[in-house]
Amino acid sequence: MAIKEYSYKKHKNLYCSAHTKVKEMRSKDGADKILISENLMIKIEELFARMRCSKYIITSGYRTPSHDIKVGGNGIGQHTLGKAVDARFYDSRGKIIPAQVVCCVAQDIGFTGIANISSKYQNVHLDVRASGIYRGDEIYGTNSVTDDFYKYFSLSAEDIAKYTGDETPEYFKKYSGNTVSIVSALCSIGEKSSFSFRKKIAEKNGIKNYSGTAAQNITMLSLLKKGVLKKP
């Protein structure tokens, strides 16, 4: 999806998503130009809805390269591309949703870059980088610390359901083989593998507009291997 360029002077009060105004994404050095990824805004709204938020506050959105360097970045990171936000999310009672919960739900939704960024576990980094996966806990540095935040934070689906309102899901049996085919993997655990059934599985697991692409199937297979692929 496109990266849109806005002007603070011209567009500051426009909404770039249902709950985000352009001015909230402005670089903290006051630059007029603001870059915002459409995909990022879509996923933010998915996250907002899934956690039944009352609001969210962006602490850092787009950054000019010079400002990114000033705050400790390398000047070419995801913020400089308009693909990242640092933010905290609030529940329906106005209380901050713990970063541990946000990280798990963001992982389910498919953010490619996710990290806790505060010692109090209140703020998170979220991005939609085009390549690679980042799962961080930045009070310990800026490298990935896990491939599964549920495991890292010792949280269960039931813990997350307290925030999302989801019913306790039923999961497929964990797949432990070596196939790279979701069809073969489903068959090997005694499940149906037709396209129509996989489409239902995708919808249940937050994989939007399922058409059987390699990326969608890899996501589904990854969840199945972790034992967290929900049954429709």
Side-chain angles (χ1 to χ4, degrees):
M1 293 186 181
I3 304 294
K4 289 192 172 182
E5 181 175 328
Y6 296 90
S7 160
Y8 176 78
K9 292 179 181 178
K10 294 179 181 178
H11 307 123
K12 62 182 179 181
N13 289 315
L14 290 180
Y15 280 91
C16 50
S17 79
H19 297 94
T20 312
K21 285 187 175 181
V22 167
K23 64 183 179 182
E24 297 175 76
M25 290 289 290
R26 189 187 193 188
S27 181
K28 299 299 184 183
D29 62 359
D32 183 64
K33 184 177 79 170
I34 306 169
L35 299 180
I36 304 175
S37 161
E38 289 183 306
N39 189 29
L40 176 65
M41 290 296 103
I42 289 170
K43 288 196 175 298
I44 287 287
E45 290 300 328
E46 287 184 42
L47 187 63
F48 191 99
R50 181 80 185 280
M51 295 190 302
R52 302 181 294 177
C53 295
S54 59
K55 66 178 180 178
Y56 84 111
I57 295 176
I58 296 172
T59 58
S60 181
Y62 170 66
R63 297 175 187 165
T64 61
S66 59
H67 180 64
D68 189 56
I69 292 171
K70 184 178 180 180
V71 297
N74 58 12
I76 56 172
Q78 299 303 311
H79 284 278
T80 69
L81 303 175
K83 293 184 176 183
V85 296
D86 297 341
R88 58 182 175 269
F89 294 79
Y90 294 78
D91 65 18
S92 59
R93 300 167 297 171
K95 294 185 177 181
I96 295 174
I97 300 173
Q100 297 95 322
V101 172
V102 179
C103 286
C104 288
V105 179
Q107 176 179 289
D108 289 342
I109 286 173
F111 281 91
T112 42
I114 309 167
N116 167 63
I117 58 173
S118 65
S119 59
K120 293 184 178 180
Y121 286 87
Q122 294 180 335
N123 292 13
V124 296
H125 167 89
L126 301 167
D127 72 55
V128 290
R129 64 189 63 200
S131 61
I133 297 292
Y134 174 48
R135 301 284 183 263
D137 190 347
E138 295 189 0
I139 62 172
Y140 300 114
T142 56
N143 294 321
S144 286
V145 295
T146 185
D147 62 357
D148 183 3
F149 276 121
Y150 283 89
K151 184 189 302 180
Y152 181 74
F153 290 126
S154 298
L155 292 174
S156 67
E158 289 75 16
D159 295 322
I160 302 304
K162 296 174 185 177
Y163 293 88
T164 62
D166 294 343
E167 296 179 0
T168 302
E170 182 180 1
Y171 296 104
F172 287 102
K173 177 182 176 182
K174 185 176 182 179
Y175 172 70
S176 58
N178 296 318
T179 184
V180 295
S181 165
I182 184 62
V183 172
S184 298
L186 287 169
C187 289
S188 73
I189 60 172
E191 299 289 348
K192 295 183 293 184
S193 61
S194 66
F195 177 82
S196 60
F197 187 56
R198 282 183 280 126
K199 190 170 184 177
K200 292 178 181 178
I201 297 172
E203 182 177 354
K204 182 68 175 180
N205 287 272
I207 302 170
K208 305 296 183 182
N209 303 313
Y210 182 76
S211 59
T213 67
Q216 290 170 329
N217 287 336
I218 288 170
T219 298
M220 199 180 297
L221 182 60
S222 176
L223 294 174
L224 187 63
K225 287 182 175 180
K226 294 174 183 174
V228 293
L229 185 67
K230 300 172 188 175
K231 289 187 175 183

